Amino acid sequence: MESAGAYGAGRAGSTSFDPVAFFTHPRTVVRLLSWVFSMVVFSCIVNEGYINIGSERLLCVFNNNNDACNYGITVGVASFLGSICFLLLDVYFPSMSSVKDRRRAVLLDLVFSGLASFLWFVGFCFLANQWQATTPEELPLAQGSDAARATIAFCFFSILTWAVLTLSALRRYLSGANMTLFTWQHMDHAHGSARATPYPIANGATIVTTNPYQAPPFTETLDPQKLTQQPRRITPAF
C-alpha cells in the first residue's frame, strides 16, 4: 500500500511556479538540449539532405537511400515533439495530487526516454554506415556533405542526452517515496521554522515548545478540588 506522499504527491501545489528554478534544473537543461539536437537533425535532412542529379527525382545524400533520410526525419520530429510534451509535463507535475497519475507520468517518461535512446542509437549506426558507403560520384561538388556530418554528430549527442533522461526517470521511478526527486522546487523547510505547539497542564497554564517531536508521554487530568484543598498538618504525639 502506497503512502500519501509517494512520488511527491504529499506536497502537491504547496509552492508556486518558479521559472528560474525550473529552467536551471539539470533535467530541464538536458530536455532543452534534446529538443535542440532533434531539431538540428531533422532540419539538416529536410533542407540539405536531398540532392538532384540530372533529374527531377530527389535522392538522399546517405548513399541515395531514402530510408535513411526518412528514418532521421521521423525520429527527429518524434523526439522534438516528445521533448516539448515532457517539458510541459515537468511544469505541471508538481501540482499533480494523485499518486497514480504521478507514477504513470514517471513511467511514461522512462519508457519514452529509453525508446528514444534506442532509436537514436540505431539512427546513428544506420546513418553513419550509409554515409561511409557513399561515394564521391554520388555527391558532385560535395553537395549536402556538411549537413550529413552534422546529422550524424547530433544523432550521437542525442543518444547521450536521452540516455541521461532515461537514467533520471529510472531513478525517479525506483525512488517513488523520495519526494525530493520529483520536483524542481525547494521544499525543504528550515529546522527553526517549526510552529510552537502548546500543551495544557493541570492548573490552566500552557507549556510551549518549539520542537514538535518533544511531546509529553502522557497527560494526567487532576481534580480542581484536590488542587484547592489545603494539605492537613500532622502533629506528632509525645
Side-chain angles (χ1 to χ4, degrees):
M1 184 176 182
E2 296 176 346
S3 61
Y7 293 94
R11 293 180 177 178
S14 59
T15 57
S16 59
F17 177 72
D18 187 357
V20 177
F22 175 74
F23 286 105
T24 56
H25 194 279
R27 185 168 59 251
T28 304
V29 174
V30 177
R31 286 202 194 281
L32 291 175
L33 290 176
S34 301
W35 176 70
V36 173
F37 294 163
S38 60
M39 181 173 55
V40 171
V41 169
F42 78 78
S43 62
C44 286
I45 297 177
V46 170
N47 293 329
E48 300 182 25
Y50 293 92
I51 58 176
N52 186 357
I53 305 177
S55 65
E56 296 181 355
R57 183 182 178 184
L58 295 177
L59 300 177
C60 180
V61 296
F62 295 97
N63 198 24
N64 294 336
N65 188 351
N66 290 330
D67 292 336
C69 289
N70 293 335
Y71 184 90
I73 293 174
T74 302
V75 177
V77 172
S79 299
F80 177 81
L81 297 177
S83 298
I84 296 176
C85 292
F86 282 103
L87 278 173
L88 297 177
L89 182 62
D90 287 341
V91 174
Y92 178 69
F93 190 89
S95 61
M96 297 171 62
S97 59
S98 174
V99 176
K100 292 183 179 180
D101 292 342
R102 286 191 168 221
R103 183 167 65 176
R104 289 172 184 171
V106 176
L107 183 60
L108 181 63
D109 186 12
L110 175 61
V111 173
F112 186 87
S113 299
L115 180 61
S117 301
F118 175 75
L119 293 178
W120 280 118
F121 176 76
V122 174
F124 171 76
C125 297
F126 184 29
L127 295 177
N129 177 265
Q130 292 300 307
W131 178 248
Q132 188 177 8
T134 303
T135 59
E137 291 77 12
E138 297 175 348
L139 295 178
L141 301 178
Q143 298 181 22
S145 58
D146 293 337
R149 294 188 183 95
T151 300
I152 296 174
F154 282 96
C155 282
F156 178 76
F157 297 151
S158 297
I159 297 173
L160 301 180
T161 55
W162 284 104
V164 172
L165 291 174
T166 303
L167 295 176
S168 176
L170 180 61
R171 185 188 177 194
R172 298 169 71 193
Y173 183 76
L174 296 178
S175 304
N178 191 347
M179 294 180 292
T180 61
L181 297 178
F182 297 92
T183 180
W184 38 263
Q185 294 138 320
H186 302 284
M187 294 184 175
D188 294 334
H189 296 282
H191 295 286
S193 61
R195 292 186 305 172
T197 304
Y199 294 101
I201 59 175
N203 60 358
T206 56
I207 299 176
V208 180
T209 176
T210 57
N211 191 346
Y213 298 100
Q214 293 182 353
F218 58 88
T219 303
E220 180 181 1
T221 304
L222 299 179
D223 189 359
Q225 296 180 358
K226 295 181 179 181
L227 295 176
T228 57
Q229 185 178 1
Q230 297 294 332
R232 292 185 299 174
R233 180 179 300 176
I234 300 177
T235 306
F238 296 99

